[in-house]
Short mmCIF file of all heavy atoms in Angstrom, two decimals:
data_model
loop_
_atom_site.label_atom_id
_atom_site.label_comp_id
_atom_site.label_asym_id
_atom_site.label_seq_id
_atom_site.Cartn_x
_atom_site.Cartn_y
_atom_site.Cartn_z
N LYS A 1 0.83 -1.20 0.00
CA LYS A 1 0.00 0.00 0.00
C LYS A 1 0.87 1.25 0.00
O LYS A 1 1.93 1.28 0.61
CB LYS A 1 -0.91 0.01 1.21
CG LYS A 1 -1.95 -1.11 1.22
CD LYS A 1 -2.83 -1.00 2.45
CE LYS A 1 -3.87 -2.12 2.49
NZ LYS A 1 -4.74 -2.02 3.69
N MET A 2 0.37 2.28 -0.70
CA MET A 2 1.13 3.53 -0.80
C MET A 2 0.55 4.63 0.08
O MET A 2 1.13 5.69 0.22
CB MET A 2 1.17 4.01 -2.26
CG MET A 2 1.97 3.11 -3.17
SD MET A 2 1.85 3.58 -4.90
CE MET A 2 0.21 2.98 -5.29
N TRP A 3 -0.64 4.42 0.64
CA TRP A 3 -1.32 5.44 1.43
C TRP A 3 -1.41 4.99 2.88
O TRP A 3 -1.70 3.84 3.18
CB TRP A 3 -2.73 5.70 0.89
CG TRP A 3 -2.71 6.23 -0.51
CD1 TRP A 3 -2.60 5.50 -1.65
CD2 TRP A 3 -2.77 7.59 -0.89
NE1 TRP A 3 -2.60 6.32 -2.75
CE2 TRP A 3 -2.71 7.62 -2.31
CE3 TRP A 3 -2.87 8.78 -0.20
CZ2 TRP A 3 -2.75 8.80 -3.03
CZ3 TRP A 3 -2.92 9.97 -0.92
CH2 TRP A 3 -2.85 9.98 -2.32
N VAL A 4 -1.14 5.92 3.79
CA VAL A 4 -1.26 5.66 5.23
C VAL A 4 -1.98 6.84 5.87
O VAL A 4 -2.05 7.92 5.30
CB VAL A 4 0.12 5.48 5.88
CG1 VAL A 4 0.83 4.27 5.35
CG2 VAL A 4 0.97 6.74 5.71
N LYS A 5 -2.49 6.62 7.06
CA LYS A 5 -3.09 7.72 7.81
C LYS A 5 -2.00 8.61 8.39
O LYS A 5 -0.85 8.18 8.57
CB LYS A 5 -3.95 7.18 8.94
CG LYS A 5 -5.16 6.37 8.48
CD LYS A 5 -5.95 5.85 9.68
CE LYS A 5 -7.17 5.04 9.22
NZ LYS A 5 -7.94 4.51 10.37
N VAL A 6 -2.40 9.86 8.67
CA VAL A 6 -1.45 10.79 9.28
C VAL A 6 -0.91 10.22 10.59
O VAL A 6 0.29 10.30 10.90
CB VAL A 6 -2.13 12.17 9.51
CG1 VAL A 6 -1.22 13.08 10.33
CG2 VAL A 6 -2.46 12.83 8.18
N GLU A 7 -1.80 9.61 11.37
CA GLU A 7 -1.39 9.04 12.65
C GLU A 7 -0.33 7.96 12.46
O GLU A 7 0.65 7.88 13.22
CB GLU A 7 -2.62 8.46 13.37
CG GLU A 7 -2.33 7.95 14.77
CD GLU A 7 -3.59 7.45 15.45
OE1 GLU A 7 -4.46 6.88 14.73
OE2 GLU A 7 -3.71 7.63 16.67
N GLU A 8 -0.49 7.13 11.43
CA GLU A 8 0.49 6.06 11.16
C GLU A 8 1.83 6.65 10.74
O GLU A 8 2.90 6.14 11.11
CB GLU A 8 -0.05 5.12 10.10
CG GLU A 8 -1.27 4.33 10.55
CD GLU A 8 -1.91 3.54 9.42
OE1 GLU A 8 -1.67 3.87 8.24
OE2 GLU A 8 -2.64 2.58 9.72
N GLU A 9 1.76 7.71 9.91
CA GLU A 9 2.99 8.36 9.47
C GLU A 9 3.74 8.96 10.67
O GLU A 9 4.97 8.91 10.76
CB GLU A 9 2.68 9.43 8.42
CG GLU A 9 3.88 10.21 7.93
CD GLU A 9 4.83 9.39 7.08
OE1 GLU A 9 4.48 8.26 6.69
OE2 GLU A 9 5.95 9.88 6.81
N ILE A 10 2.99 9.56 11.62
CA ILE A 10 3.61 10.15 12.81
C ILE A 10 4.27 9.06 13.66
O ILE A 10 5.38 9.22 14.18
CB ILE A 10 2.56 10.92 13.62
CG1 ILE A 10 2.07 12.15 12.82
CG2 ILE A 10 3.13 11.36 14.97
CD1 ILE A 10 3.13 13.18 12.55
N GLN A 11 3.56 7.91 13.82
CA GLN A 11 4.13 6.80 14.58
C GLN A 11 5.41 6.30 13.93
O GLN A 11 6.39 5.97 14.61
CB GLN A 11 3.12 5.66 14.71
CG GLN A 11 1.92 6.00 15.59
CD GLN A 11 0.86 4.91 15.58
OE1 GLN A 11 0.98 3.92 14.85
NE2 GLN A 11 -0.19 5.09 16.38
N TYR A 12 5.38 6.24 12.62
CA TYR A 12 6.57 5.78 11.88
C TYR A 12 7.75 6.71 12.15
O TYR A 12 8.86 6.26 12.48
CB TYR A 12 6.25 5.73 10.39
CG TYR A 12 7.45 5.48 9.50
CD1 TYR A 12 7.91 4.19 9.28
CD2 TYR A 12 8.13 6.53 8.89
CE1 TYR A 12 9.02 3.96 8.49
CE2 TYR A 12 9.23 6.31 8.11
CZ TYR A 12 9.67 5.03 7.89
OH TYR A 12 10.76 4.80 7.10
N ILE A 13 7.52 8.04 12.03
CA ILE A 13 8.64 8.97 12.19
C ILE A 13 9.10 9.01 13.64
O ILE A 13 10.29 9.23 13.95
CB ILE A 13 8.25 10.37 11.68
CG1 ILE A 13 9.52 11.17 11.38
CG2 ILE A 13 7.38 11.12 12.66
CD1 ILE A 13 10.39 10.59 10.31
N GLN A 14 8.16 8.76 14.57
CA GLN A 14 8.56 8.71 15.98
C GLN A 14 9.49 7.53 16.23
O GLN A 14 10.50 7.65 16.93
CB GLN A 14 7.31 8.63 16.87
CG GLN A 14 7.63 8.71 18.36
CD GLN A 14 6.36 8.75 19.21
OE1 GLN A 14 5.27 8.56 18.70
NE2 GLN A 14 6.53 9.00 20.51
N ASN A 15 9.16 6.35 15.69
CA ASN A 15 10.04 5.18 15.82
C ASN A 15 11.40 5.46 15.19
O ASN A 15 12.46 5.08 15.73
CB ASN A 15 9.40 3.97 15.16
CG ASN A 15 8.24 3.43 15.98
OD1 ASN A 15 8.27 3.46 17.22
ND2 ASN A 15 7.22 2.92 15.31
N TYR A 16 11.36 6.13 14.05
CA TYR A 16 12.62 6.44 13.36
C TYR A 16 13.50 7.35 14.23
O TYR A 16 14.71 7.15 14.38
CB TYR A 16 12.33 7.09 12.02
CG TYR A 16 13.56 7.52 11.26
CD1 TYR A 16 14.30 6.61 10.51
CD2 TYR A 16 14.00 8.85 11.31
CE1 TYR A 16 15.45 7.01 9.83
CE2 TYR A 16 15.12 9.26 10.64
CZ TYR A 16 15.85 8.34 9.90
OH TYR A 16 16.98 8.72 9.22
N LEU A 17 12.86 8.39 14.82
CA LEU A 17 13.61 9.33 15.65
C LEU A 17 14.16 8.65 16.91
O LEU A 17 15.27 8.96 17.38
CB LEU A 17 12.72 10.52 16.03
CG LEU A 17 12.54 11.57 14.92
CD1 LEU A 17 11.40 12.52 15.26
CD2 LEU A 17 13.83 12.34 14.69
N GLU A 18 13.38 7.73 17.49
CA GLU A 18 13.85 7.03 18.68
C GLU A 18 15.09 6.19 18.35
O GLU A 18 16.03 6.11 19.15
CB GLU A 18 12.73 6.15 19.24
CG GLU A 18 11.66 6.92 19.98
CD GLU A 18 12.18 7.60 21.24
OE1 GLU A 18 13.14 7.07 21.85
OE2 GLU A 18 11.66 8.68 21.60
N LEU A 19 15.07 5.54 17.19
CA LEU A 19 16.25 4.76 16.79
C LEU A 19 17.46 5.67 16.61
O LEU A 19 18.58 5.34 17.03
CB LEU A 19 15.96 4.01 15.49
CG LEU A 19 15.01 2.81 15.60
CD1 LEU A 19 14.74 2.24 14.22
CD2 LEU A 19 15.61 1.73 16.51
N GLN A 20 17.22 6.86 15.96
CA GLN A 20 18.33 7.79 15.76
C GLN A 20 18.83 8.34 17.10
O GLN A 20 20.04 8.53 17.30
CB GLN A 20 17.88 8.94 14.85
CG GLN A 20 17.62 8.54 13.41
CD GLN A 20 18.90 8.20 12.67
OE1 GLN A 20 20.02 8.45 13.17
NE2 GLN A 20 18.76 7.57 11.50
N LYS A 21 17.89 8.59 18.01
CA LYS A 21 18.26 9.10 19.32
C LYS A 21 19.10 8.09 20.09
O LYS A 21 20.04 8.43 20.82
CB LYS A 21 17.00 9.47 20.09
CG LYS A 21 17.27 10.27 21.35
CD LYS A 21 15.96 10.74 21.98
CE LYS A 21 16.24 11.53 23.25
NZ LYS A 21 14.98 11.99 23.88
N SER A 22 18.75 6.81 19.95
CA SER A 22 19.53 5.75 20.58
C SER A 22 20.94 5.70 20.00
O SER A 22 21.90 5.36 20.69
CB SER A 22 18.83 4.40 20.41
OG SER A 22 17.57 4.41 21.02
N ARG A 23 21.05 6.06 18.73
CA ARG A 23 22.34 5.98 18.05
C ARG A 23 23.26 7.13 18.45
O ARG A 23 24.45 6.93 18.70
CB ARG A 23 22.15 5.97 16.53
CG ARG A 23 23.44 5.83 15.73
CD ARG A 23 23.16 5.72 14.25
NE ARG A 23 22.55 6.93 13.73
CZ ARG A 23 23.27 7.99 13.30
NH1 ARG A 23 24.58 7.97 13.35
NH2 ARG A 23 22.66 9.05 12.83
N ILE A 24 22.70 8.37 18.48
CA ILE A 24 23.58 9.52 18.70
C ILE A 24 23.42 10.13 20.09
O ILE A 24 24.08 11.12 20.41
CB ILE A 24 23.34 10.60 17.63
CG1 ILE A 24 21.90 11.11 17.69
CG2 ILE A 24 23.67 10.07 16.25
CD1 ILE A 24 21.62 12.20 16.67
N GLY A 25 22.52 9.57 20.87
CA GLY A 25 22.42 9.97 22.28
C GLY A 25 21.82 11.35 22.48
O GLY A 25 20.89 11.75 21.79
N LYS A 26 22.43 12.09 23.48
CA LYS A 26 21.85 13.37 23.88
C LYS A 26 22.07 14.48 22.85
O LYS A 26 21.58 15.59 23.02
CB LYS A 26 22.47 13.79 25.22
CG LYS A 26 22.09 12.87 26.37
CD LYS A 26 22.68 13.36 27.68
CE LYS A 26 22.30 12.45 28.84
NZ LYS A 26 22.85 12.94 30.12
N ARG A 27 22.80 14.18 21.82
CA ARG A 27 22.98 15.20 20.79
C ARG A 27 21.72 15.42 19.98
O ARG A 27 21.67 16.33 19.14
CB ARG A 27 24.13 14.80 19.85
CG ARG A 27 25.49 14.89 20.54
CD ARG A 27 26.63 14.74 19.55
NE ARG A 27 26.66 13.41 18.95
CZ ARG A 27 26.60 13.19 17.64
NH1 ARG A 27 26.47 14.20 16.80
NH2 ARG A 27 26.65 11.96 17.18
N LEU A 28 20.68 14.61 20.20
CA LEU A 28 19.43 14.75 19.43
C LEU A 28 18.27 14.79 20.40
O LEU A 28 18.19 14.00 21.36
CB LEU A 28 19.25 13.56 18.47
CG LEU A 28 17.89 13.48 17.77
CD1 LEU A 28 17.68 14.68 16.85
CD2 LEU A 28 17.79 12.17 16.96
N ASN A 29 17.35 15.71 20.12
CA ASN A 29 16.08 15.77 20.84
C ASN A 29 15.00 16.15 19.83
O ASN A 29 15.29 16.75 18.78
CB ASN A 29 16.13 16.80 21.97
CG ASN A 29 15.00 16.58 22.99
OD1 ASN A 29 14.22 15.62 22.86
ND2 ASN A 29 14.91 17.45 23.97
N TYR A 30 13.76 15.81 20.12
CA TYR A 30 12.69 16.13 19.16
C TYR A 30 11.39 16.34 19.90
O TYR A 30 11.23 15.95 21.07
CB TYR A 30 12.54 15.00 18.13
CG TYR A 30 11.97 13.72 18.69
CD1 TYR A 30 10.59 13.49 18.69
CD2 TYR A 30 12.81 12.72 19.20
CE1 TYR A 30 10.08 12.31 19.21
CE2 TYR A 30 12.30 11.56 19.72
CZ TYR A 30 10.92 11.35 19.72
OH TYR A 30 10.40 10.20 20.22
N SER A 31 10.43 16.96 19.19
CA SER A 31 9.05 17.11 19.69
C SER A 31 8.11 16.92 18.51
O SER A 31 8.42 17.33 17.38
CB SER A 31 8.85 18.48 20.34
OG SER A 31 8.98 19.51 19.38
N ILE A 32 6.96 16.28 18.78
CA ILE A 32 5.99 16.01 17.72
C ILE A 32 4.61 16.49 18.17
O ILE A 32 4.19 16.21 19.29
CB ILE A 32 5.92 14.51 17.38
CG1 ILE A 32 7.28 14.01 16.86
CG2 ILE A 32 4.82 14.24 16.37
CD1 ILE A 32 7.32 12.52 16.60
#
């Protein structure tokens, strides 16, 4: 499928950011 809900897209980017945060530590912070 090529279409997702906004909520699903937000969850996806949140997971992505958490993985990046685990990688680079306190040098990264975010808000959604």
